[in-house]
Amino acid sequence: AVVASLRKLGIEITMLTGDNRDAALAIGKQVGLSPEEIKSKLLPEEKLEFIERASRGRSNTSSVICNPFAKPNLVLMCGDGVNDAPALAAADVGVAMGEGAALSMETSDVTLLDSNLEKIEYSIRMGKRVTAKIVQNVVFSLVVKFTVLGFALAGRAQLWAAIATDVGAMLLVTLNAMMLLPKRQTSADVDNMKDDIEQGDLRKNRQSVNRQSSKSNALGIEGKMIGQAAEGCAKGCCAQSSKVETT
């Protein structure tokens, strides 16, 4: 679902992995990738070379100053391992998994709190919304300023009108930016979140109980082995040494 959503946004996706071809194809097929979009048996330097080639080969390399209306063609790398760290650092935007290696999180630009790839799609959509709001606010502010300036040059603008216009534009720009804030959650959403948290706590408790039981079993087995070894020693060499001393 995430791969299909990213494709709808016009994003080309390529899977880079160090696993063998069969395992890579099996995983890629599950997420909806074609064999041509899967690169397997890659070393860390090969992943880095692929990212560098993608950065050099992008069609739109003009700067924002030369062409401010051009859409940027950037390269995003998402990884969680130590082998992904060089590629994360070389990409225009590096995204690391929160449950991955510490080195990948240090070299990346963005770190997800977990391994949910849907947050990448959310971040991209939110980034586009923020950019659109910035453009809207800047254009609206400039139009208001130039309008007031035109009336002032014509001698038809009063001071109170200029102040009211400036304050009103500021309020409208602020309200427009506040539309990016998340909507207030309903009681049903809160209940669902509580259920998810409780289920997650139950899973953690079960995992901790399983770890404790496995540790206790291991300690029990180790204690039995030590007891058997001590018993064997008492019947064997230790018993012979005591006989020698008595004689």
Side-chain angles (χ1 to χ4, degrees):
V2 177
V3 174
S5 300
L6 293 176
R7 282 175 176 168
K8 290 180 181 179
L9 295 175
I11 299 175
E12 298 179 0
I13 303 173
T14 303
M15 176 180 173
L16 307 179
T17 179
D19 297 335
N20 57 52
R21 187 64 178 173
D22 295 335
L25 290 175
I27 299 299
K29 185 178 180 180
Q30 293 179 4
V31 299
L33 293 175
S34 62
E36 293 77 14
E37 297 173 333
I38 300 173
K39 309 297 180 182
S40 58
K41 296 182 179 180
L42 296 181
L43 297 175
E45 54 269 20
E46 293 175 339
K47 294 181 181 180
L48 177 60
E49 292 176 359
F50 183 88
I51 296 298
E52 290 178 347
R53 287 198 306 268
S55 300
R56 291 193 302 264
R58 51 191 173 189
S59 58
N60 188 5
T61 57
S62 60
S63 62
V64 178
I65 299 176
C66 298
N67 191 3
F69 299 101
K71 293 183 179 180
N73 193 359
L74 305 178
V75 177
L76 184 147
M77 171 68 184
C78 181
D80 61 350
V82 178
N83 297 334
D84 301 326
L88 289 172
D92 296 320
V93 181
V95 180
M97 301 295 185
E99 299 178 357
L103 182 60
S104 62
M105 290 187 284
E106 292 177 359
T107 56
S108 62
D109 302 306
V110 181
T111 300
L112 302 180
L113 296 180
D114 51 21
S115 300
N116 187 5
L117 294 180
E118 293 180 355
K119 293 183 178 180
I120 297 179
E121 178 191 358
Y122 174 79
S123 301
I124 294 173
R125 292 184 183 275
M126 178 58 68
K128 291 185 176 182
R129 290 182 60 193
V130 170
T131 304
K133 291 295 182 182
I134 292 174
V135 173
Q136 293 172 8
N137 292 341
V138 170
V139 172
F140 176 75
S141 300
L142 291 176
V143 170
V144 171
K145 298 294 183 183
F146 282 114
T147 303
V148 174
L149 179 61
F151 279 104
L153 294 177
R156 297 184 179 181
Q158 301 295 329
L159 180 60
W160 64 268
I163 295 175
T165 304
D166 185 71
V167 174
M170 181 186 65
L171 293 176
L172 291 176
V173 166
T174 303
L175 293 174
N176 187 33
M178 290 178 65
M179 294 177 63
L180 293 172
L181 296 175
K183 297 180 180 180
R184 182 175 297 178
Q185 296 179 348
T186 61
S187 59
D189 296 335
V190 174
D191 294 338
N192 293 332
M193 290 179 62
K194 290 181 179 179
D195 295 337
D196 294 338
I197 293 173
E198 291 177 356
Q199 292 178 0
D201 294 337
L202 289 175
R203 285 194 295 268
K204 290 181 180 178
N205 293 332
R206 291 173 182 173
Q207 291 176 359
S208 61
V209 169
N210 293 331
R211 293 194 195 98
Q212 292 177 358
S213 62
S214 61
K215 289 182 180 178
S216 62
N217 293 332
L219 291 175
I221 294 172
E222 185 177 359
K224 290 181 180 179
M225 294 176 64
I226 293 174
Q228 293 175 358
E231 184 179 357
C233 183
K235 293 180 180 179
C237 60
C238 294
Q240 292 178 2
S241 62
S242 62
K243 292 179 179 178
V244 171
E245 291 177 357
T246 54
T247 56

